[in-house]
Amino acid sequence: LKIEYSQPVNCGLTSCGNGVVETGLGETCDDSNQINQDGCSSTCQLEPAASCVKINEVYYDVDAAHNTQGSNNDEWVELYNACSFAASLENWTIKDNNSTTTIAQALNLASHGFAVLAEASTTFTLWNIPAEAEKVELGTGNDIGNGLSNDGDRLTLKDNNGAIADQMSYGTDDTIFDLPEPVSTATEGRSIARIVKGVDTDTAADW
């Protein structure tokens, strides 16, 4: 006996990851993969921006060539949006081990886009920042936290609802994870960068 069906039968095989949003199967997104933390989860459900906007690089030890204002004012932090959609960063916060700084300006960070955060716009003129990257001026007196320590510090990035999007620590601060500071040299001008942008396992191995 041969049974023929006029319509395809779902035999329990998932279609998530085929690039087609199949609402009849409960999908709310489909970005052609089954990876979490990119805006569309491994089960094809929309994720909040806090799940995929990551700290990508931290310039914490300013050298003389990039220090026009003195103290900590020319430090910067780069963010990367691994989401498959633009993410509003307005009223997000970034905090070190002491103080919190708010991103006050309206900013929609494009999918797979970068944003560089610094106290003053003059910092951006000291670097060859790609034109497509967002440049976020935090404003006079708004260091990143209370200024990043060269020996060790931490950063926590939160969305406008207070949900933690990302966090890291380095050097003598092992609050988040133990990431030794690069070997100290007489030459300043050091940063810590994520090895693969957007890839976050919440361990020091990401850096």
Side-chain angles (χ1 to χ4, degrees):
L1 177 63
K2 181 179 180 182
I3 301 176
E4 296 183 353
Y5 297 95
S6 59
Q7 297 295 328
V9 176
N10 186 342
C11 297
L13 298 177
T14 180
S15 61
C16 178
N18 66 2
V20 178
V21 180
E22 300 187 59
T23 56
L25 297 178
E27 295 182 358
T28 57
C29 61
D30 196 317
D31 58 355
S32 300
N33 66 55
Q34 293 181 323
I35 300 173
N36 289 318
Q37 297 187 342
D38 64 354
C40 185
S41 74
S42 60
T43 57
C44 287
Q45 301 300 306
L46 282 171
E47 298 176 301
S51 70
C52 44
V53 175
K54 302 298 177 184
I55 299 168
N56 195 61
E57 186 171 1
V58 181
Y59 182 66
Y60 66 94
D61 188 359
V62 181
D63 63 7
H66 299 95
N67 189 356
T68 61
Q69 304 178 75
S71 186
N72 304 305
N73 303 85
D74 283 303
E75 296 170 341
W76 51 258
V77 170
E78 181 185 65
L79 305 180
Y80 174 69
N81 180 14
C83 295
S84 54
F85 51 83
S88 172
L89 301 186
E90 185 176 7
N91 293 323
W92 283 43
T93 61
I94 190 160
K95 182 182 186 300
D96 68 352
N97 65 354
N98 186 273
S99 301
T100 299
T101 302
T102 299
I103 301 174
Q105 72 184 67
L107 170 64
N108 281 315
L109 182 57
S111 172
H112 306 297
F114 294 88
V116 181
L117 281 57
E119 181 195 24
S121 59
T122 52
T123 299
F124 306 135
T125 66
L126 305 173
W127 301 89
N128 294 319
I129 300 175
E132 62 271 19
E134 299 284 352
K135 303 172 185 66
V136 181
E137 182 181 0
L138 298 173
T140 302
N142 290 320
D143 292 339
I144 297 167
N146 69 334
L148 301 175
S149 170
N150 293 347
D151 296 323
D153 214 328
R154 77 191 76 140
L155 283 174
T156 299
L157 177 68
K158 293 184 179 181
D159 71 8
N160 59 319
N161 294 314
I164 295 176
D166 195 19
Q167 52 188 345
M168 59 86 72
S169 57
Y170 63 91
T172 56
D173 191 325
D174 59 1
T175 305
I176 312 302
F177 42 63
D178 186 9
L179 178 63
E181 184 194 8
V183 177
S184 180
T185 65
T187 302
E188 295 181 325
R190 289 175 290 175
S191 70
I192 296 175
R194 196 176 290 276
I195 295 172
V196 181
K197 64 180 186 294
V199 175
D200 184 19
T201 63
D202 294 325
T203 66
D206 295 332
W207 301 82

